[in-house]
Amino acid sequence: MKKIMGLITVIVLQTAILSAAPIYTSLDVVYNDVKLSMDGESLILKDAYGSVIEPFIIDGMSYVPVEALMKELGKGILWEEQTRTIHIVDNQIESVKKLSDIPKSSFSGREAVYPIIGQITDPVGVEYTDGIIFTGDGDGKTIADIVTYPLNGEYSQLSGTAFLPTALAIVGYVNKNPNSQISGYTNLADIKIYGDGRLLKDIPSLTRADVVNFDLDITGVKELKIEIRAYGSTVFSNIVALTNLSLYSSSH
């Protein structure tokens, strides 16, 4: 049995502030013929080039490459750079498309829905350059912003992030202070996402401190509907953001 000691450099990401620079540290890694099995059958992990990847040990804990493991288990894996998040999905991913690239089929509400061409900032200071914002004047108790998108059953997964932005600077949206801090606007929002009339995601009472990530199974969904009710100022526009809205096509 082989036992090889070595030093490697790994990246440890700060989780409290996603925009912070990574911290580099050196750790002792032990390769000691660690094997994997599931239900009595051996699992041989390989990288994208077909080379075998061996698990290793750091401080008595075994580490396994998640991408290679998920492939063996028939799962897909997605890396979201904006939020430093690893998404594990049901199937192997074949293609990705942005929801904002699909023309909406209908909209109803007080104002409009805008693609993010520019940037917006979430409550923890992370900036986003992709997604959509909803705007509407007044009290969301009586009127909701509703937008629908034709998906035609072509996608299996929808991921995204919801929050009430603290700042924005995007093309196409005009208000009295479009590039200013907007902390005086929306204070609370309810978000519902439907697939062919079935509720897929309910985010009630989203506050100005919340950042909500979601992954939804939309296999076979022909029409996606997003309903936003924003509560805040009756003078300025209520603004709710859905960012990094990615549609995934998968092999089965």
Side-chain angles (χ1 to χ4, degrees):
M1 180 179 292
K2 70 178 180 179
K3 182 175 182 179
I4 303 174
M5 294 287 293
L7 288 177
I8 64 170
T9 300
V10 299
I11 297 177
V12 180
L13 291 176
Q14 297 202 22
T15 56
I17 304 176
L18 293 176
S19 59
I23 298 172
Y24 295 87
T25 185
S26 294
L27 300 173
D28 289 327
V29 174
V30 179
Y31 286 92
N32 197 14
D33 287 330
V34 177
K35 298 178 176 62
L36 291 175
S37 70
M38 185 176 69
D39 297 330
E41 295 188 8
S42 296
L43 294 179
I44 306 299
L45 304 183
K46 297 182 179 180
D47 62 20
Y49 302 99
S51 301
V52 174
I53 306 173
E54 183 181 339
F56 55 85
I57 299 170
I58 299 177
D59 293 334
M61 182 176 292
S62 299
Y63 289 81
V64 178
V66 65
E67 184 172 6
L69 178 60
M70 290 302 103
K71 183 178 180 181
E72 286 297 316
L73 298 179
K75 300 286 186 178
I77 186 169
L78 305 166
W79 168 250
E80 185 180 346
E81 176 65 27
Q82 188 78 42
T83 61
R84 308 290 202 274
T85 302
I86 296 173
H87 297 278
I88 296 173
V89 296
D90 285 337
N91 302 291
Q92 299 295 319
I93 300 301
E94 289 184 343
S95 62
V96 180
K97 188 170 185 176
K98 297 297 183 182
L99 182 63
S100 55
D101 291 337
I102 297 179
K104 59 183 180 291
S105 54
S106 67
F107 176 81
S108 64
R110 292 176 182 258
E111 291 293 335
V113 55
Y114 294 91
I116 298 172
I117 304 174
Q119 67 182 34
I120 63 173
T121 306
D122 73 10
V124 296
V126 178
E127 294 179 344
Y128 299 78
T129 58
D130 176 73
I132 55 178
I133 66 167
F134 290 79
T135 72
D137 292 333
D139 194 337
K141 292 180 180 178
T142 55
I143 297 179
D145 289 332
I146 300 173
V147 63
T148 58
Y149 294 92
L151 301 186
N152 304 316
E154 298 175 4
Y155 306 96
S156 61
Q157 201 87 7
L158 169 67
S159 68
T161 302
F163 57 87
L164 308 182
T166 59
L168 81 162
I170 71 169
V171 175
Y173 176 70
V174 178
N175 66 353
K176 291 184 178 180
N177 298 290
N179 299 318
S180 65
Q181 293 293 316
I182 56 174
S183 59
Y185 289 27
T186 307
N187 298 315
L188 191 69
D190 300 328
I191 302 173
K192 294 180 185 291
I193 302 176
Y194 297 87
D196 295 332
R198 180 170 60 91
L199 182 62
L200 303 177
K201 183 67 176 180
D202 186 8
I203 307 175
S205 301
L206 183 74
T207 74
R208 294 190 47 75
D210 299 327
V211 177
V212 178
N213 297 309
F214 56 86
D215 288 284
L216 307 179
D217 183 354
I218 56 170
T219 302
V221 169
K222 294 180 173 58
E223 182 183 74
L224 186 77
K225 180 176 76 173
I226 302 173
E227 178 182 300
I228 304 288
R229 293 182 181 271
Y231 312 95
S233 169
T234 58
V235 178
F236 298 110
S237 294
N238 294 314
I239 302 174
V240 179
L242 293 177
T243 61
N244 291 345
L245 291 170
S246 297
L247 296 161
Y248 303 103
S249 300
S250 305
S251 60
H252 298 274

